[in-house]
């Protein structure tokens, strides 16, 4: 008996949308999140895909997210776009912000988007990917509730805090896309193992005393292991400056968890920098990106960051995605 069911991307989007609306999310807020969920499943990042829909719905119902929120956009400077997510889903706020960010970057060569009073934005690379599709180099930062301890300490002070960069290629798609958290693995992966009762590999998380653990529940009560030791902590702090300090969002040490129902809205932030390469390097950009990418692809066995997701994305458009039946049953229960 199989424990998965094959769904098309359209079916994943529709299922996500209906569940979110049934839970109390407006159609305007549910649609961009449903689209992103389907894209995330296509990329093979199941921990951030449909598995999160029951959590999103629970958070709408308990008030951690305002499903009816209306994000508010302002333009304090010509090159600066600000969006108050109004404690709603990040995806609707980012859609609104990108509508102003992209033309501003094309006109001025560079522009930034600062989002506060926000929530988990899912896979950060999904958003920088869209900037690359618009012909812009996109850099993204998002902070999260504290789960990484500083070097030499055991008490978390910063979140897994991913950053992403997407560089456009000549075919309208990213020539390369880097999307990585400051931790060895995304916290959602540890949460997924905890839900499934599976141990985690050594090096993913630490217990409350800072020691390695293979128990996901112990790790969730302790801290996430930073990627590359103290360098990972540095990346997390950099992202905290960009996504929280520069946006006026809540620091990770004060943000409520992205999991469970404890606490109100996390009010975290996102920060994006969009650069038009035509304004900074003219023809040199395309030649250099092609040479850089080529130098990696020419090596047997070498691959670029994002290659795995790209291959899965192309297959998913034709073949659909195998989805965990237990996850589907949780979502279908919301609809009944």
């Amino acid at each position: 008996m199989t424990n998965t069911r094959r769904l098309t991307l359209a079916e994943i989007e529709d299922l996500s949308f209906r569940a979110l609306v049934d839970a109390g999310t407006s159609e305007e807020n549910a649609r961009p999140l449903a689209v992103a969920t389907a894209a995330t499943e296509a990329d093979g990042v199941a921990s951030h895909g449909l598995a999160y829909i029951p959590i999103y719905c629970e958070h709408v119902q308990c008030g951690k997210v305002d499903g009816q929120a209306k994000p508010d956009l302002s333009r304090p400077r010509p090159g600066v776009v600000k969006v108050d997510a109004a404690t709603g889903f990040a995806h609707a706020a980012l859609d609104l912000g990108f509508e102003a960010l992209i033309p501003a970057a094309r006109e001025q060569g560079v522009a930034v988007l600062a989002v506060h009073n926000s929530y988990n934005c899912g896979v950060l690379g999904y958003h920088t990917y869209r900037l690359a599709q618009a012909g812009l180099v996109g850099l993204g930062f998002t902070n999260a509730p504290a789960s990484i301890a500083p070097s030499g300490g055991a008490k978390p002070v910063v979140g897994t805090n991913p950053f992403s960069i997407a560089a456009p290629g000549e075919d309208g798609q990213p020539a390369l896309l880097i999307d990585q958290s400051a931790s060895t693995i995304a916290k959602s992966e540890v949460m997924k193992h905890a839900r499934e009762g599976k141990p985690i590999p050594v090096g993913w998380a630490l217990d409350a005393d800072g020691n390695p653990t293979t128990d996901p529940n112990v790790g969730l009560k302790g801290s996430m292991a930073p990627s590359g030791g103290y360098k990972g902590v540095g990346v997390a702090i950099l992202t905290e400056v960009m996504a929280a300090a520069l946006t006026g969002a809540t620091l990770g040490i004060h943000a409520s968890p992205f999991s469970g129902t404890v606490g109100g809205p996390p009010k975290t932030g996102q920060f994006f920098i969009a650069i038009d390469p035509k304004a900074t390097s003219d023809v040199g950009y395309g030649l250099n990106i092609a040479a850089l990418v080529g130098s990696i692809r020419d090596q047997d066995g070498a691959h670029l960051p994002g290659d795995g997701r790209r291959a899965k994305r192309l297959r998913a458009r034709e073949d659909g995605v195998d989805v965990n039946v237990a996850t589907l049953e949780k979502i279908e229960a919301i609809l009944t």
Side-chain angles (χ1 to χ4, degrees):
M1 181 177 178
T2 180
N3 61 351
T4 62
R5 190 191 309 168
R6 180 68 59 89
L7 296 181
T8 66
L9 298 183
E11 288 173 331
I12 292 172
E13 179 182 336
D14 178 66
L15 181 63
S16 302
F17 177 78
R18 289 188 291 115
L20 288 163
V21 171
D22 276 18
T25 308
S26 69
E27 293 189 0
E28 294 79 9
N29 289 334
R31 181 58 67 188
L33 184 49
V35 171
T37 299
T40 300
E41 286 286 349
D43 281 5
V45 191
S47 60
H48 286 69
L50 281 171
Y52 243 109
I53 293 297
I55 298 172
Y56 292 148
C57 292
E58 180 182 52
H59 285 179
V60 170
Q61 293 169 336
C62 78
K64 192 178 279 284
V65 180
D66 182 357
Q68 301 292 320
K70 296 185 181 298
D72 180 63
L73 184 146
S74 61
R75 297 291 299 273
R77 301 283 194 281
V80 178
V81 179
K82 289 183 65 176
V83 175
D84 181 347
T87 73
F89 286 112
H91 295 71
L94 293 176
D95 269 11
L96 178 65
F98 278 16
E99 288 178 6
L101 175 68
I102 291 172
R106 286 172 174 164
E107 179 181 354
Q108 299 171 159
V110 61
V112 302
L113 167 63
V115 180
H116 69 289
N117 280 335
S118 192
Y119 178 77
N120 187 341
C121 72
V123 174
L124 184 62
Y126 166 76
H127 305 289
T128 56
Y129 176 95
R130 295 166 60 199
L131 294 177
Q133 285 184 306
L136 304 170
V137 173
L139 291 90
F141 307 86
T142 183
N143 78 317
S147 59
I148 293 179
S151 300
K155 183 178 180 181
V157 293
V158 285
T160 52
N161 290 12
F163 75 91
S164 177
I165 179 169
E170 294 181 353
D171 61 354
Q173 299 297 314
L176 63 86
L177 193 159
I178 299 172
D179 178 7
Q180 63 187 61
S181 67
S183 56
T184 301
I185 197 75
K187 189 175 182 179
S188 58
E189 290 288 350
V190 178
M191 292 165 57
K192 183 172 180 287
H193 277 66
R195 288 194 301 269
E196 297 173 355
K198 298 179 180 178
I200 57 174
V202 173
W204 278 21
L206 309 173
D207 65 19
D209 297 320
N211 301 310
T213 180
T214 59
D215 186 330
N217 293 298
V218 171
L220 291 172
K221 293 178 182 177
S223 62
M224 297 294 296
S227 176
Y230 72 90
K231 292 185 178 181
V233 177
V235 169
I237 294 173
L238 163 66
T239 298
E240 194 79 0
V241 171
M242 302 298 288
L246 279 179
T247 66
T250 301
L251 291 172
I253 52 175
H254 299 139
S256 66
F258 283 155
S259 59
T261 58
V262 176
K267 299 181 180 180
T268 47
Q270 289 87 34
F271 192 85
F272 290 87
I273 305 171
I275 304 166
D276 186 349
K278 295 177 182 177
T280 60
S281 66
D282 197 19
V283 296
Y285 166 81
L287 294 173
N288 282 335
I289 286 293
L292 175 61
V293 169
S295 69
I296 298 171
R297 294 205 188 281
D298 288 345
Q299 295 188 39
D300 290 340
H303 61 86
L304 281 164
D307 273 355
R309 292 186 187 180
R310 181 178 182 135
K312 291 175 181 176
R313 186 183 313 129
L314 293 175
R315 286 198 302 270
R317 290 173 183 171
E318 299 294 329
D319 303 333
V321 177
D322 288 329
V323 179
N324 185 281
V325 169
T327 297
L328 290 176
E329 288 175 347
K330 288 182 181 178
I331 297 172
E332 288 163 354
I334 298 170
L335 297 169
T336 58

